[in-house]
Amino acid sequence: MQHLTRDEIRQSLIECGLKATHQRIVVLEAVTELHGSHPTAEDIFQRLRPANPTISLGTVYKTLDTFTETGMLRRVVSEQGSKRYDSNTMTHSHIYCSKTKEIVDFEDEELEQLLLKFFSERKLENFEIKGFSVQLTGCKVEPDKKISITRVPK
Amino acid sequence: MQHLTRDEIRQSLIECGLKATHQRIVVLEAVTELHGSHPTAEDIFQRLRPANPTISLGTVYKTLDTFTETGMLRRVVSEQGSKRYDSNTMTHSHIYCSKTKEIVDFEDEELEQLLLKFFSERKLENFEIKGFSVQLTGCKVEPDKKISITRVPK
DNA sequence: CTTACTGCAAACAGTTTGCAGACGT
DNA sequence: ACGTCTGCAAACTGTTTGCAGTAAG
């Protein structure tokens, strides 16, 4: 999903039935480049402004909405309720740090399998599951350092 | 947590070091009565207004904030980013219906154990887990009927 | 050439803030 | 009586909308 050329981006826009406008190309490029940081519309807008001085915040909002509708991006709401965007549209979980307000992706095949198995053994009547995700809340010990996940052998 | 008398509510407010004002009593009463519906500040305000015509929306917001800080309530953000309140402060998961915007509680001892075990086998470096919760997204088949969870025998 | 998309500015929803007065302890 | 809490209104943040002009296919 990363390091797409502009032509590849143009291509995927067309595949989704969207016109490949300059604004859409640079917005999508920015979100994939910022992969892992879950930017807000404002973040994207600020990042694009220097190189695209005429782009408007409203367009960034509309564009991100459109991308979410077509499934190119996933919307994640922060603990504070602001909307953030994730170029990782695969099933994955999120770690929320209440100290730094960061949202860190947490992909784990085993966890996914565990939950898939669990939910296949329940019957949710009158509800069609589209997706699931685990939300881990807590806070960083050292706010400046990264969070890393290692496996402990049983 | 349900059907607390006003005196019991008064009591738990005092235990949290808060003054037992009329506004706090009725707000806490309303949230516990609306248990399961995850009301917004506005919902609470509208519910209280008839019987408490002088209560203000600002007070409801402040009161709910205070309750969240003391741990009497839990804040949940909806898929749209609005803040909702949950009188169930135990570990539990949420089912989000994108059709009706409902948030349904999903308590399951087995799921909790499964996740506890899973996370005890991982080491999250530089992160202190405060809690976790599974988010199920999807939509109701029959919007007017309830969602029910049954267990399928293996 | 046509229709979808953009920029702009205004509107909007939800939430927070500051302060004078009211109330619980 | 003291300090905390409330009501009110204004301010603020993040997001959405309507419309005239622009650009993509």
Side-chain angles (χ1 to χ4, degrees):
Chain A
M1 191 66 180
Q2 264 70 253
H3 303 299
L4 296 174
T5 65
R6 295 212 166 174
D7 272 336
E8 287 169 327
I9 291 177
R10 196 185 302 274
Q11 197 50 41
S12 51
L13 287 169
I14 293 165
E15 278 166 24
C16 286
L18 301 172
K19 285 191 178 176
T21 65
H22 178 70
Q23 291 85 336
R24 284 179 174 164
I25 293 166
V26 294
V27 167
L28 193 50
E29 188 179 47
V31 182
T32 56
E33 281 170 3
L34 291 172
H35 165 260
S37 88
H38 305 89
T40 62
E42 186 69 36
D43 292 336
I44 301 289
F45 178 59
Q46 292 306 338
R47 181 183 174 94
L48 293 179
R49 209 124 85 117
N52 308 269
T54 69
I55 201 167
S56 89
L57 181 57
T59 298
V60 175
Y61 271 104
K62 284 177 195 165
T63 306
L64 291 168
D65 269 358
T66 309
F67 292 165
T68 307
E69 275 160 31
T70 64
M72 305 174 84
L73 297 180
R74 177 201 284 204
R75 213 199 312 264
V76 187
V77 313
S78 73
E79 281 187 297
Q80 294 72 240
S82 64
K83 291 171 186 168
R84 310 242 213 142
Y85 295 85
D86 197 336
S87 62
N88 180 355
T89 56
M90 299 291 96
T91 294
H92 67 281
S93 295
H94 288 121
I95 303 174
Y96 292 80
C97 172
S98 54
K99 210 180 276 177
T100 66
K101 314 299 177 209
E102 270 169 288
I103 303 176
V104 179
D105 277 347
F106 174 44
E107 272 179 88
D108 190 300
E109 182 62 25
E110 202 178 318
L111 178 58
E112 192 181 335
Q113 291 308 321
L114 208 66
L115 291 171
L116 270 174
K117 179 163 175 295
F118 178 85
F119 286 112
S120 71
E121 285 166 8
R122 307 282 132 154
K123 206 175 164 59
L124 277 186
E125 252 157 306
N126 195 30
F127 191 76
E128 195 191 330
I129 301 179
K130 284 231 188 66
F132 55 80
S133 147
V134 178
Q135 238 182 291
L136 272 189
T137 54
C139 56
K140 276 190 170 182
V141 181
E142 298 264 19
D144 300 331
K145 294 185 189 161
K146 283 187 77 176
I147 296 170
S148 68
I149 303 113
T150 54
R151 182 125 173 225
V152 175
K154 295 180 204 181
Chain B
M1 192 65 180
Q2 265 70 252
H3 303 299
L4 297 175
T5 66
R6 296 210 165 174
D7 273 334
E8 288 168 329
I9 290 177
R10 195 185 304 274
Q11 196 51 41
S12 51
L13 287 168
I14 293 166
E15 278 165 23
C16 287
L18 300 173
K19 284 193 179 176
T21 65
H22 179 69
Q23 291 86 336
R24 284 179 175 164
I25 293 167
V26 294
V27 167
L28 192 49
E29 188 180 46
V31 182
T32 56
E33 280 171 3
L34 291 172
H35 165 260
S37 89
H38 305 88
T40 62
E42 187 68 36
D43 292 336
I44 302 288
F45 178 60
Q46 293 305 339
R47 180 182 174 94
L48 293 178
R49 212 127 78 124
N52 308 268
T54 69
I55 201 167
S56 88
L57 181 56
T59 298
V60 175
Y61 272 103
K62 285 177 197 168
T63 305
L64 291 168
D65 269 359
T66 308
F67 292 166
T68 307
E69 275 159 32
T70 63
M72 304 175 83
L73 297 180
R74 178 200 285 203
R75 211 198 315 263
V76 187
V77 314
S78 74
E79 280 187 297
Q80 293 73 239
S82 65
K83 291 171 186 168
R84 310 244 212 141
Y85 295 85
D86 195 337
S87 62
N88 180 355
T89 56
M90 299 291 96
T91 295
H92 67 283
S93 295
H94 288 122
I95 302 173
Y96 292 81
C97 172
S98 55
K99 209 179 276 176
T100 66
K101 313 299 176 208
E102 269 169 288
I103 303 177
V104 179
D105 277 348
F106 175 44
E107 272 179 87
D108 190 299
E109 181 62 25
E110 203 178 314
L111 178 57
E112 191 181 335
Q113 291 307 322
L114 209 67
L115 290 171
L116 271 174
K117 180 163 174 295
F118 177 85
F119 287 111
S120 71
E121 284 165 10
R122 308 281 132 155
K123 206 175 165 55
L124 277 186
E125 253 157 307
N126 196 30
F127 191 77
E128 195 189 330
I129 301 178
K130 283 232 189 67
F132 55 79
S133 148
V134 179
Q135 238 182 290
L136 273 188
T137 53
C139 57
K140 276 190 171 182
V141 182
E142 297 264 19
D144 299 332
K145 292 185 190 161
K146 284 187 76 176
I147 296 170
S148 68
I149 303 113
T150 54
R151 180 123 177 229
V152 175
K154 296 179 201 179

